[in-house]
Amino acid sequence: MGLTGLFLITFLVIHVGLNACIFYDLPIFDPNDNGAMFNKASHFMGSTMVMRLLEIVLFAGFILHIIQGWSLELQNRQKRKQGYQVNLGNRGSKWYSRSMGILGTLIFLFLVLHISDFWIPSRITHNLPQAQYHGVEMHDMFIKMYNSFQNPVVVVLYLLGVLALAYHLFHGFHSAFRTMGVHNRKYLAMLKSLGYGFTIVVCVLFALMPIAMFLNWVSPL
Amino acid sequence: MEHYNMNLTLKVWRQPNKNSEGRFETFDVKDISSEMSFLEMFDVLNERLISEGNDPIAFDHDCREGICGACSMHINGRPHGPWHATTTCQLHMRAFKDGDTIVVEPWRANGFPVIKDLVTDRTSFDRIIQAGGYISVNTGNAVDGNALPIEKDKADASFAAAACIGCGACVAACKNASASLFVSAKVAHLALLPQGEPERKNRVLSMIAQMDNEGFGSCTFTGACEAVCPKEISVTNISRMHKDYLWAGLSTEK
Ligand code: HEM
Ligand code: SF4
Ligand code: FES
């Protein structure tokens, strides 16, 4: 659980970093970029052998984490056949630390939507607009993203997905290190702050992507 | 603090034996002194029940001074009641005010089946200790102060872990009914000392295996155990136990 969780966290760093290339189109950088930087990065991820192999490892990581998560949740739920009339609730722990299974399931549902939105068209069906840079043909993922995020329902669903991820990581980040045996108090305090900081930066960046495209802060024009 | 008397409504879990269905029974108790302990309030109620020819409420207790771990009541949703770092026997009625309704339940966990009313069978903890919570050789009498050098920080951490009284509040509070805080305290207080070092790996493996066998859940670090522990055992003991467990799993002889 801890290992796969930490692995998925490293994936998030890459994912958020690459996708943040769309912000190069912002007026403060280069409003005429129109997603060129992002499209090239995305093309690199899809066309390089090493990256495609890593993608398989990533899928395996997700599947393993989800199986572990669900079976852990299922087993732990069976350990108290008869519950309490009055529960301890938030007096002993944070609600999100007790809701990792549900938050994870929300992330899973979001992933199904997210993969069918972008990964399937890009890697399987290939029905995407094309772009050309220095004579190299590639998918115009930027336009695809932009079109998807013109629909307010999609934007709201993505924001909810990111929110679920944020709460999952608020607990998951430091919990993973504890699971792996870090018990030095100073390091734990540091890791907890690092976890909150990391989660906020990553999730705010992710959340800004659909918002920026919906509000035309970044656009193909 | 000023002394006062109060009238209370108690909702207490009643269950004749292990196999029967239980239910809540409501009692009105009158003229309870704010100076009484929570268990003395139960004594008063039980005296009345006995004089009326009724079955008194069964509850566990022994030392009544916060050191044995026998008392175990889930009071208004919190193991050992509202006071921080306090056992049920050390909880006093000044924690409540006139007219309060108090809900009292037994520990709830598959590893702690209810025997009668508020009494649960906690021999699962004994079996976890028997699986490895000891040093196999006679360690002799207390030796001269510095005959066996021990790092101060380790001695302190070991002593803090040894404060665990095995009450089971950690299990009662945990959403997973995990016994990890108890087991990690019992692992830590031996593992941190030189006398405990030789059996360190097998101890952690056997005790965790026994904890799983007894039907307790796995730790997900919500921290509820630490919040209710009357002896303020720290969850960092659980991380230390995980570290020992991982390392022992990779490096034992068999
Ligand atoms: C980008 C996606 C995800 C990341 C970065 C992530 C990260 C993490 C981390 C770091 C942990 C803590 C591990 C530990 O305490 O040892 C964790 C735990 C967990 N995750 Fe995820 N996770 C993700 C997606 C999912 C999904 C899709 C599910 C389920 C469908 C899920 C279910 C769980 C569960 C049940 C736990 C156990 C929780 C606990 O400690 O209470 N996660 N995750
Ligand atoms: S760790 Fe604390 S709550 Fe758990 S058994 Fe020991 S003293 Fe009781
Ligand atoms: S009766 Fe001994 S700790 Fe409460």
Side-chain angles (χ1 to χ4, degrees):
Chain A
M1 198 82 265
L3 268 185
T4 52
L6 288 178
F7 168 68
L8 294 180
I9 285 178
T10 58
F11 149 73
L12 282 182
V13 178
I14 299 167
H15 192 41
V16 80
L18 194 144
N19 284 21
C21 290
I22 65 164
F23 296 124
Y24 198 62
D25 187 54
L26 283 173
I28 44 163
F29 300 116
D30 178 4
N32 297 321
D33 177 67
N34 298 341
M37 184 169 173
F38 170 69
N39 276 340
K40 287 181 214 161
S42 159
H43 179 67
F44 169 77
M45 295 304 275
S47 59
T48 326
M49 199 58 198
V50 178
M51 290 302 154
R52 295 309 303 267
L53 284 175
L54 282 178
E55 195 172 80
I56 296 171
V57 178
L58 174 64
F59 269 93
F62 264 112
I63 291 167
L64 209 65
H65 185 78
I66 292 169
I67 293 174
Q68 284 177 324
W70 277 339
S71 63
L72 177 70
E73 180 76 18
L74 212 73
Q75 283 171 7
N76 278 343
R77 276 180 186 223
Q78 289 162 357
K79 304 298 181 187
R80 178 173 288 125
K81 286 205 200 84
Q82 176 144 24
Y84 291 108
Q85 171 99 354
V86 188
N87 282 298
L88 184 63
N90 293 335
R91 285 178 283 173
S93 54
K94 299 266 191 334
W95 70 268
Y96 49 82
S97 77
R98 301 193 304 274
S99 316
M100 293 295 276
I102 289 167
L103 290 168
T105 306
L106 290 177
I107 301 174
F108 171 75
L109 293 176
F110 165 76
L111 280 176
V112 173
L113 173 78
H114 183 50
I115 288 175
S116 53
D117 270 354
F118 297 117
W119 188 84
I120 292 187
S122 147
R123 302 285 198 270
I124 309 216
T125 57
H126 298 288
N127 60 353
L128 287 171
Q130 294 290 309
Q132 220 189 43
Y133 305 100
H134 311 296
V136 184
E137 275 278 318
M138 57 186 72
H139 293 147
D140 197 338
M141 284 304 287
F142 187 80
I143 296 264
K144 169 75 190 161
M145 254 173 110
Y146 181 77
N147 291 340
S148 300
F149 292 144
Q150 294 318 102
N151 181 348
V153 177
V154 175
V155 173
V156 169
L157 286 178
Y158 270 69
L159 292 181
L160 290 178
V162 172
L163 195 67
L165 177 67
Y167 279 113
H168 196 72
L169 289 182
F170 272 159
H171 179 66
F173 193 96
H174 71 89
S175 176
F177 286 99
R178 292 178 170 214
T179 300
M180 306 304 298
V182 177
H183 63 79
N184 176 288
R185 279 167 202 275
K186 280 187 217 127
Y187 279 104
L188 277 179
M190 191 192 79
L191 284 168
K192 213 166 179 175
S193 315
L194 188 71
Y196 290 136
F198 172 86
T199 304
I200 290 169
V201 170
V202 168
C203 292
V204 166
L205 278 173
F206 272 139
L208 280 175
M209 292 169 194
I211 294 176
M213 288 191 151
F214 183 69
L215 298 177
N216 278 316
W217 297 343
V218 296
S219 73
L221 306 170
Chain B
M1 210 178 157
E2 185 122 3
H3 167 264
Y4 59 98
N5 278 356
M6 63 194 102
N7 297 332
L8 301 162
T9 306
L10 288 183
K11 282 181 76 183
V12 184
W13 183 258
R14 301 304 303 268
Q15 182 173 332
N17 58 55
K18 197 169 179 169
N19 302 316
S20 52
E21 291 253 319
R23 64 188 172 78
F24 281 97
E25 198 173 334
T26 306
F27 302 93
D28 288 319
V29 287
K30 299 216 175 333
D31 290 329
I32 296 298
S33 156
S34 58
E35 303 296 304
M36 277 182 194
S37 77
F38 199 76
L39 296 186
E40 281 165 343
M41 185 263 296
F42 266 80
D43 293 338
V44 169
L45 172 60
N46 274 346
E47 292 289 338
R48 191 185 95 199
L49 290 176
I50 293 167
S51 71
E52 292 168 353
N54 291 320
D55 195 19
I57 302 162
F59 63 89
D60 253 335
H61 62 103
D62 187 12
C63 71
R64 297 210 179 195
E65 58 176 4
I67 57 168
C68 74
C71 56
S72 52
M73 293 183 184
H74 203 261
I75 302 161
N76 282 345
R78 194 176 188 278
H80 294 301
W83 282 354
H84 176 72
T86 307
T87 54
T88 300
C89 59
Q90 293 288 289
L91 176 66
H92 280 67
M93 294 313 294
R94 56 182 176 274
F96 302 93
K97 46 183 205 311
D98 190 37
D100 276 358
T101 297
I102 308 175
V103 181
V104 188
E105 303 172 72
W107 286 175
R108 299 283 188 200
N110 297 358
F112 291 157
V114 173
I115 306 173
K116 185 171 173 19
D117 299 340
L118 302 172
V119 181
T120 56
D121 178 354
R122 284 175 284 171
T123 50
S124 47
F125 269 17
D126 298 341
R127 288 186 293 272
I128 293 174
I129 298 288
Q130 283 156 13
Y134 51 79
I135 291 166
S136 297
V137 295
N138 191 340
T139 53
N141 294 330
V143 291
D144 268 357
N146 291 325
L148 188 58
I150 302 173
E151 246 177 83
K152 171 82 169 114
D153 292 341
K154 285 197 175 165
D156 288 349
S158 169
F159 191 79
C164 166
I165 53 177
C167 63
C170 42
V171 175
C174 175
K175 83 167 178 61
N176 309 322
S178 171
S180 290
L181 193 65
F182 163 75
V183 178
S184 71
K186 297 301 172 195
V187 165
H189 88 270
L190 296 175
L192 286 163
L193 296 179
Q195 295 93 333
E197 185 62 33
E199 290 169 297
R200 184 170 181 162
K201 291 177 187 171
N202 286 326
R203 178 182 306 116
V204 70
L205 294 176
S206 331
M207 289 179 79
I208 289 183
Q210 190 63 31
M211 165 171 83
D212 293 343
N213 283 341
E214 297 291 349
F216 295 108
S218 309
C219 177
T220 58
F221 292 99
T222 67
C225 53
E226 183 183 65
V228 303
C229 173
K231 298 296 152 186
E232 302 182 285
I233 303 294
S234 163
V235 276
T236 52
N237 284 304
I238 304 182
S239 310
R240 187 190 286 109
M241 176 172 80
H242 279 212
K243 184 198 73 184
D244 277 9
Y245 184 77
L246 285 174
W247 190 239
L250 293 172
S251 65
T252 38
E253 297 302 329
K254 52 175 190 186

